[in-house]
Amino acid sequence: MAEPIRLPPQPEVCELCARPVALTRHHLIPKALHDKAYVQKRFVRHQRITATLWVCRACHNQIHRLFSEKELALTYNSRDALLGDERLRTFVEWLASKPPGFTPRH
């Protein structure tokens, strides 16, 4: 029998802005695309399921504001790739200086 797939444990802080706030799981390869051939060719099932980041709601919202699901799957499918985008990096750097209770208005 195959070993069960284990998701990465939840950290204490957002994996992007490092604030100690409530976290949500961001799927680096969007679940809606897991059955697409172009995703299956690039990522094995284990990668598709476990490639996640724990992020705060503000960072999560900004990720989905900036990128389409296809862009997330093909280009922005790692923490480094996400932070390689100047728009997201600038937002994360700005948010990192805010207190845990701060919620940006969009």
Side-chain angles (χ1 to χ4, degrees):
M1 189 158 104
E3 186 70 23
I5 294 174
R6 299 197 193 290
L7 293 169
Q10 182 174 337
E12 299 291 317
V13 298
C14 174
E15 292 188 81
L16 292 177
C17 72
R19 295 183 316 141
V21 295
L23 302 175
T24 60
R25 186 187 303 276
H26 169 66
H27 291 86
L28 291 162
I29 303 155
K31 290 193 306 185
L33 303 182
H34 284 193
D35 62 346
K36 300 288 186 198
Y38 66 87
V39 169
Q40 291 184 355
K41 275 198 279 190
R42 286 173 176 82
F43 306 101
V44 298
R45 182 173 177 268
H46 183 270
Q47 287 176 301
R48 295 192 302 267
I49 294 170
T50 61
T52 61
L53 280 181
W54 283 100
V55 295
C56 68
R57 176 45 56 197
C59 284
H60 208 164
N61 288 350
Q62 189 67 5
I63 289 168
H64 288 285
R65 233 180 241 110
L66 292 173
F67 310 113
S68 70
E69 293 209 326
K70 190 169 186 177
E71 287 175 314
L72 288 170
L74 299 181
T75 305
Y76 299 102
N77 51 38
S78 71
R79 180 181 183 276
D80 288 345
L82 286 167
L83 291 174
D85 182 89
E86 185 178 353
R87 298 166 301 167
L88 184 63
R89 187 175 60 253
T90 300
F91 175 84
V92 167
E93 289 169 357
W94 170 79
L95 187 61
S97 68
K98 306 298 181 219
F102 176 81
T103 304
R105 289 191 202 143
H106 284 288

